[in-house]
Amino acid sequence: MKKACYRIGEILYWVLCLLLIANIALCIFGIRPFVVVSGSMEPAIQTGSISWVNLRADADHLQQGDILAFERNDGELVLHRIVRRTEAGIVTKGDANPVPDAALVRVHQIKGKVLFSVPYVGKAFMKNAEEFAVFFLTGSVILFILLKTVKISGGTYYEKHNTEE
């Protein structure tokens, strides 16, 4: 039983390490996580999801159907689908909204393109969505250090005190 628990812990440790490395790599390449705080994009993106947005996406290559991250005039970040492009700007609409957004999105408002979302993970951060990226990265580093410490001490203990069951 001890051996099975140790192996499960070892697997969990490496999975979390890979997730940490992947998240750091995504941030280095300009892909940042955002917490979705409204239901305007349901069912495609649920409230409480985390969406990773490519901040380096080229506005000229965005197409109809892409989910766009843009900043409204009031400073709020919005994730809505592109309905069509016009010479004046981009028409967007939330999937759950009955009509397109009243205001056109201009190029200077575009933050990036949504690449993927993970449902429910962001529910714990919904009240402080702005701080999510900092918390996520800091928490990942702290978790990595803690897991490494536990792994070293746990692995040493296990190897010294292992008796075959």
Side-chain angles (χ1 to χ4, degrees):
M1 181 68 176
K2 288 180 184 178
K3 192 172 187 176
C5 288
Y6 179 77
R7 294 284 180 232
I8 291 169
E10 187 79 7
I11 291 168
L12 180 62
Y13 168 76
W14 285 109
V15 167
L16 290 173
C17 285
L18 289 174
L19 289 173
L20 170 64
I21 291 166
N23 189 59
I24 291 171
L26 289 173
C27 288
I28 289 170
F29 290 107
I31 299 169
R32 183 173 163 220
F34 290 94
V35 177
V36 178
V37 295
S38 80
S40 66
M41 280 303 295
E42 289 185 359
I45 302 176
Q46 298 175 351
T47 303
S49 296
I50 297 177
S51 290
W52 275 263
V53 175
N54 180 0
L55 300 177
R56 296 180 183 168
D58 185 4
D60 294 333
H61 290 95
L62 296 171
Q63 303 173 16
Q64 180 180 346
D66 288 343
I67 299 175
L68 182 66
F70 62 93
E71 191 172 316
R72 287 194 326 201
N73 293 332
D74 62 2
E76 184 177 346
L77 185 73
V78 178
L79 306 179
H80 278 178
R81 195 173 303 277
I82 296 174
V83 175
R84 69 181 173 281
R85 296 181 71 112
T86 67
E87 289 183 22
I90 298 173
V91 178
T92 58
K93 176 184 171 295
D95 290 357
N97 297 343
V99 295
D101 300 334
L104 293 175
V105 177
R106 313 278 187 224
V107 173
H108 72 275
Q109 294 175 286
I110 297 172
K111 295 300 177 194
K113 175 183 174 183
V114 175
L115 297 177
F116 63 94
S117 296
V118 178
Y120 308 114
V121 179
K123 284 195 184 267
F125 308 102
M126 287 179 65
K127 291 184 180 177
N128 296 315
E130 313 81 44
E131 301 168 10
F132 172 71
V134 173
F135 176 80
F136 194 70
L137 287 175
T138 306
S140 296
V141 170
I142 291 170
L143 180 63
F144 178 78
I145 292 167
L146 287 174
L147 285 172
K148 189 65 177 170
T149 303
V150 169
K151 180 185 181 300
I152 290 169
S153 64
T156 304
Y157 178 84
Y158 176 77
E159 290 165 8
K160 286 183 181 177
H161 297 89
N162 184 23
T163 57
E164 291 298 320
E165 295 176 1

